[in-house]
Amino acid sequence: MSKRIDITDLDIYYGSFQAVADVTMTIEERSVTAFIGPSGCGKSTFLRTLNRMHEVIPGGRVDGEVTIDGKNLYGKGVDPVDVRREVGMVFQRPNPFPTMSIKENVLAGVKLNSQRISSKAGNELLERSLRSANLWEEVKDRLDKPGSGLSGGQQQRLCIARAIAVQPEVILMDEPCSALDPISTLAIEDLINELKEEYTVVIVTHNMQQAARVSDRTGFFNLEATGKPGKLVEMDDTTRIFNNPSQKATEDYISGRFG
Ligand code: ADP
């Protein structure tokens, strides 16, 4: 299921403003890749180019190539809707559909993608997705209750279940714990660790300890000055980035000497 992603010479723009310049990297399959770096260096922007979410912003465009197992996401004739099914996304604030039940939330993407499924298959997919998101035991007796009635941490796991239900290859997470308490954060971190058995996981985090705890590989982005594009300074095994980075800028950032 899981696939590797190759990014080559990627430039990202908002209108005439270039937010990110010249990123080349490989994201390994069945692993967790974290992006760290100071606020505004383009981590979230870059993440959104991996499932063609960047271009929904007016003026949003990219130059360069992103391939998943060799297939160019930006190739002619590629439907962004298919890309977003293959590459799911979880956001900073849990965003369950407020009027939908827990069950409807999990199956929402499946229905949107107009894969018509029987009620038996739907129930199986519901349970499987909630189990994969470590939420089944907590909600199995109230599947028809509103998703918005869950705690913040449960809502975020519900959103992860919703992302998993459409059977993506890749799961992108943009600061998935920043709105959560420490206990819920640990639950999500445990879950991320399990998800990499099956999926390619990419996470943006402002929390360096979190990157160190959950990721196998880390990319450090930096910004030379305000108004300049963010760049990938280096990418390596997480233990190496945190213990023995090759760039001084990385060392300054991870040791807190930044800015
Ligand atoms: P990070 O995730 O590292 O904090 P972002 O990707 O959010 O950085 O932002 C990178 C740059 O792009 C910043 O200069 C930011 O102001 C700009 N930016 C982000 N979103 C938009 C947008 N919708 N329109 C214009 N500029 C944006």
Side-chain angles (χ1 to χ4, degrees), residues 208-244:
M208 282 192 276
Q209 286 75 27
Q210 178 165 77
R213 282 193 299 264
V214 302
S215 73
D216 302 291
R217 306 258 305 160
T218 297
F220 170 60
F221 285 79
N222 205 359
L223 196 62
E224 278 162 27
T226 318
K228 295 256 178 140
K231 290 187 172 168
L232 177 67
V233 174
E234 70 178 302
M235 180 152 179
D236 212 326
D237 289 345
T238 296
T239 47
R240 187 163 174 110
I241 290 286
F242 284 95
N243 294 308
N244 189 17

Side-chain angles (χ1 to χ4, degrees), residues 22-259:
D22 206 22
V23 175
T24 295
M25 70 163 72
T26 292
I27 295 171
E28 305 288 350
E29 60 184 56
R30 287 176 200 263
S31 66
V32 179
T33 297
F35 298 145
I36 60 169
S39 180
C41 68
K43 306 177 296 294
S44 301
T45 299
F46 177 69
L47 192 75
R48 289 193 294 265
T49 64
L50 304 182
N51 73 344
R52 297 194 55 172
M53 286 278 288
H54 175 65
E55 69 207 49
V56 306
I57 296 159
R61 63 188 175 86
V62 306
D63 262 349
E65 206 172 70
V66 180
T67 65
I68 296 195
D69 267 12
K71 190 184 82 189
N72 185 4
L73 293 194
Y74 289 92
K76 270 214 178 76
V78 175
D79 184 345
V81 175
D82 291 338
V83 173
R84 288 172 207 142
R85 197 200 57 70
E86 205 173 325
V87 184
M89 186 144 189
V90 174
F91 299 88
Q92 223 172 74
R93 298 211 152 263
N95 58 350
F97 298 117
T99 59
M100 289 188 187
S101 68
I102 291 169
K103 175 177 175 175
E104 288 165 338
N105 262 286
V106 174
L107 298 178
V110 181
K111 294 199 168 141
L112 281 179
N113 279 302
S114 67
Q115 303 165 1
R116 297 189 63 91
I117 49 171
S118 68
S119 116
K120 180 163 175 281
N123 284 332
E124 282 168 7
L125 179 63
L126 173 69
E127 178 169 346
R128 197 162 65 237
S129 305
L130 285 169
R131 282 191 188 282
S132 301
N134 291 344
L135 189 59
W136 174 252
E137 292 300 330
E138 289 160 66
V139 302
K140 63 183 182 194
D141 298 325
R142 48 171 164 157
L143 295 170
D144 292 317
K145 296 277 180 333
S148 52
L150 299 173
S151 74
Q154 289 172 328
Q155 287 188 20
Q156 194 61 304
R157 280 178 284 143
L158 178 63
C159 293
I160 293 171
R162 183 175 67 191
I164 289 172
V166 297
Q167 294 167 304
E169 311 282 358
V170 179
I171 303 176
L172 309 177
M173 299 189 178
D174 191 354
E175 305 224 12
C177 303
S178 64
L180 304 181
D181 61 80
I183 303 278
S184 309
T185 295
L186 277 183
I188 300 283
E189 289 182 1
D190 284 346
L191 174 57
I192 290 171
N193 203 30
E194 289 171 23
L195 290 175
K196 76 175 180 187
E197 306 275 316
E198 249 184 281
Y199 305 96
T200 304
V201 181
V202 189
I203 173 173
V204 165
T205 175
H206 65 265
N207 179 332
M208 282 192 276
Q209 286 75 27
Q210 178 165 77
R213 282 193 299 264
V214 302
S215 73
D216 302 291
R217 306 258 305 160
T218 297
F220 170 60
F221 285 79
N222 205 359
L223 196 62
E224 278 162 27
T226 318
K228 295 256 178 140
K231 290 187 172 168
L232 177 67
V233 174
E234 70 178 302
M235 180 152 179
D236 212 326
D237 289 345
T238 296
T239 47
R240 187 163 174 110
I241 290 286
F242 284 95
N243 294 308
N244 189 17
S246 66
Q247 300 296 316
K248 179 157 186 311
T250 313
E251 193 179 337
D252 287 351
Y253 184 73
I254 57 131
S255 61
R257 280 199 296 271
F258 180 83

